[in-house]
Amino acid sequence: MHSNKELCEKIREVFPEIGECGIDLNVEYDSENRAWLVDLKKEDHHLKTFLEIPDAEKCMEGKQCISLGLQIDQLRNNLGLIH
């Protein structure tokens, strides 16, 4: 399994306008849900989503980032980060 830093950087690679890891975007492994927890922030707003490990691994391997892209895109829409 990849690290949270690697996954965060991959998200930023796909969506460079999203902000900085550790500031605007946090990625942590949630052992209770056995999934990655992605937290996107804008001002006082926080939106969180879970990314299943197999989906994250496929994206990290350069095979398929559809699930990751859809979830992050939805977060961006909800926060008004898409113009």
Side-chain angles (χ1 to χ4, degrees):
M1 186 164 67
H2 293 276
S3 72
N4 61 330
K5 183 178 178 181
E6 290 171 320
L7 186 54
C8 189
E9 289 301 325
K10 184 64 170 184
I11 293 169
R12 290 197 66 242
E13 179 182 314
V14 175
F15 299 105
E17 73 282 2
I18 213 164
E20 297 295 321
C21 289
I23 298 171
D24 307 300
L25 175 66
N26 285 310
V27 179
E28 295 179 17
Y29 181 71
D30 185 311
S31 58
E32 184 177 320
N33 290 294
R34 297 182 183 171
W36 289 102
L37 176 62
V38 179
D39 182 6
L40 184 59
K41 303 171 190 172
K42 181 180 180 185
E43 298 168 358
D44 292 334
H45 302 285
H46 293 261
L47 289 177
K48 296 180 182 185
T49 189
F50 286 102
L51 183 62
E52 299 297 324
I53 293 171
D55 293 332
E57 293 299 313
K58 284 179 190 173
C59 186
M60 292 298 297
E61 294 167 3
K63 294 180 181 174
Q64 178 180 325
C65 291
I66 294 171
S67 179
L68 173 64
L70 290 173
Q71 290 188 48
I72 298 302
D73 199 46
Q74 182 178 3
L75 288 175
R76 290 169 59 224
N77 279 325
N78 290 342
L79 286 175
L81 295 174
I82 295 180
H83 306 287

